[in-house]
């Protein structure tokens, strides 16, 4: 039966061959926003319940075939990881016009809005296990690029685009700008995700059609948004009055994470433009990109200021963070967490206290930026001032602890990440699952315990498996190759399941750089 807003589906299913009992099943299918009305919502309308069930089964078979994760030594943890992966997959948009709500389909928290959570914590899982779905999630950002351009103009920036911090339809829905719109880093987060998707999949068609334009428009935003500052003989490019990932420190100058990500954004646009000039120079002309523009982007990237403390020998979260007083010790107790529910934001902003990983997140994303000794200093310092009031925080600390060889601490942070909603660790699971944290649990296993990353076409795996786990096994896709990684206490193995051979490096040994062949 058709109604003004959609279609009511009626199914009758026999429950037994010998009994007359039947189940009457009704489902309402309709558009929920203007993005869903571009094409009629009809695929399910002409299908029987059996056909829908078969389609569902094929989908999940593919999910586990390409993205299976198994954890040995803890059956309940293994089940929790499978649950997390299930929730990620069922919550993700697949049509290029929808994304992943921060609470998925599990609750009304955040009113179904999308955040930076997708690109930084959930998209990596899809890039490596279901690249076509990853492309569709990025395609959504391209669909709202016109709204992002309009938002930049509203913010007084004449060129480029500023993606909404909190949105469904591309328009800003955040009511609190210090911890919302001021998180300009979302532009660079999206650009980073485009670059990562391209690195892993080699999907040039996406870059030519959509990806480069998004990276270009975000780079143009940074070029107009930043300001030059002369300090002695140094000329540096800065970003003022911004908020980084740490929402307990708002409206500051030169947030390290923001500046580092903007630097990457400007470097990436030049890299992709060079590729585009070789393959599709007309596209550059269509987008009005000139050699002078690229030279300008290079110059800005080279001069972006990255705050550093000579006193502590660490990257400073921003220009003022390290000079603020520490949060009072008698208030640094679980009874006062999360702080934002007990104290006015302006009270919190006066102190050196972090809601979540901020500078540490940049350290994870750019591992070649600093040596192990500096990473250790930064980890120790920022761990001491971070409350982990955000569900996004612990997975980053777990990954970096594993990288530093502290597998006991990595495991402890990981367990909080993996079981967060199952044990209601944050005390707000009733509002819905923490979808980004579910992606973070996968990252903690793959990027943390197995040290997985792809660099210059080489798959790197480093065994950081904690003693609490007897084994870790997972599958993922790099380019057109499906790989399986198996870890145990004294075993690190990468196998090719399907596709062309892949070069791998195991535990950092140059001699282990090999072409993987089918077993």
């Amino acid at each position: 039966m058709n109604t003004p807003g959609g279609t009511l589906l009626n199914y009758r299913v026999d429950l037994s061959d010998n009994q007359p009992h039947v189940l009457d099943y009704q489902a309402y299918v309709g558009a929920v926003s203007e993005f869903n009305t571009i094409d009629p919502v009809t695929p399910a309308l002409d299908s029987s319940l059996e056909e829908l069930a078969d389609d569902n089964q094929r989908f999940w078979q593919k999910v586990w075939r390409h993205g299976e994760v198994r954890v040995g030594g803890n059956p309940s943890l293994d089940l929790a990881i499978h649950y997390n992966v299930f929730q990620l997959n069922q919550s993700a948009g697949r049509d290029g016009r929808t994304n992943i709500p921060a609470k998925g389909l599990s609750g009304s928290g955040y009113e179904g809005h999308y955040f930076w959570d997708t690109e930084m914590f959930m998209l990596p899982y899809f890039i490596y296990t279901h690249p076509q779905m990853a492309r569709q999630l990025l395609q959504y950002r391209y669909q709202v690029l016109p709204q992002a351009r309009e938002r930049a103009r509203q913010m007084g920036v004449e060129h480029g685009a500023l993606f909404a911090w909190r949105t469904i339809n591309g328009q800003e829905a955040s009511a609190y700008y210090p911890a919302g719109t001021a998180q300009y880093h979302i532009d660079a987060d999206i650009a980073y995700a485009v670059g990562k998707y391209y690195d892993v999949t080699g999907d040039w068609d996406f870059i030519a059609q959509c990806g480069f334009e998004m990276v270009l428009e975000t780079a143009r935003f940074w070029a107009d948004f930043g300001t030059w500052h002369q300090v002695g003989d140094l000329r540096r490019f800065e970003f003022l009055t911004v908020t980084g990932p740490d929402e307990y420190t708002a409206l500051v100058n030169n947030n390290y994470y923001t500046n580092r990500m903007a630097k990457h954004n400007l470097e990436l646009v030049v890299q992709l433009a060079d590729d585009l000039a070789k393959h599709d120079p007309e596209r550059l002309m269509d987008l009005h990109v000139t050699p002078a523009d690229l030279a300008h982007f290079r110059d800005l990237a080279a001069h972006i200021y990255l705050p550093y403390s000579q006193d502590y020998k660490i990257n400073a979260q921003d220009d003022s963070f390290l000079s603020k007083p520490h949060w009072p010790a008698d208030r640094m107790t679980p009874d006062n967490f999360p702080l934002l529910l007990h104290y006015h934001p302006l009270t919190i902003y006066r102190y050196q206290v972090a809601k979540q990983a901020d500078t540490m997140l940049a350290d994870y994303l750019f591992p070649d930026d600093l040596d192990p000794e500096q990473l250790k200093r930064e980890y120790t310092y920022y761990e001491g001032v971070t409350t982990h009031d955000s569900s996004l925080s612990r997975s980053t600390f777990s990954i970096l602890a594993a990288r530093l060889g502290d597998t006991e601490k990595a495991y402890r942070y990981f367990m909080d990440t993996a079981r967060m909603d199952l044990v209601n660790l944050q005390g707000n699971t009733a509002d819905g699952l923490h979808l980004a944290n579910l992606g973070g649990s996968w990252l903690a296993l793959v990027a943390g315990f197995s040290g997985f990353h792809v660099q210059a076409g080489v798959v790197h795996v480093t065994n950081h498996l904690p003693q609490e786990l007897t084994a870790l096994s997972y599958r993922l896709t790099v380019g057109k190759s499906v790989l399986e990684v198996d870890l145990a206490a004294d075993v690190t193995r990468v196998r090719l399941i399907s596709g062309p051979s892949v070069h791998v490096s195991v535990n950092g040994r140059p001699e282990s750089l090999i072409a993987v062949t089918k077993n």
Side-chain angles (χ1 to χ4, degrees), residues 127-161:
I127 289 175
Y128 285 112
T129 64
H130 200 324
Q132 183 57 34
M133 193 179 297
R135 174 171 174 153
Q136 295 304 315
L137 292 169
L138 288 170
Q139 183 75 31
Y140 159 77
R141 294 294 190 183
Y142 186 71
Q143 294 294 329
V144 299
L145 188 56
Q147 292 92 319
R149 290 190 180 100
E150 180 181 352
R151 184 59 173 168
R153 307 301 169 268
Q154 292 172 350
M155 299 304 296
V157 178
E158 294 183 6
H159 301 95

Side-chain angles (χ1 to χ4, degrees), residues 30-50:
V32 296
S33 79
E34 64 268 27
F35 293 115
N36 299 106
T37 60
I38 297 173
D39 298 314
V41 186
T42 58
L45 306 187
D46 298 325
S47 303
S48 67
L49 189 60
E50 290 77 12

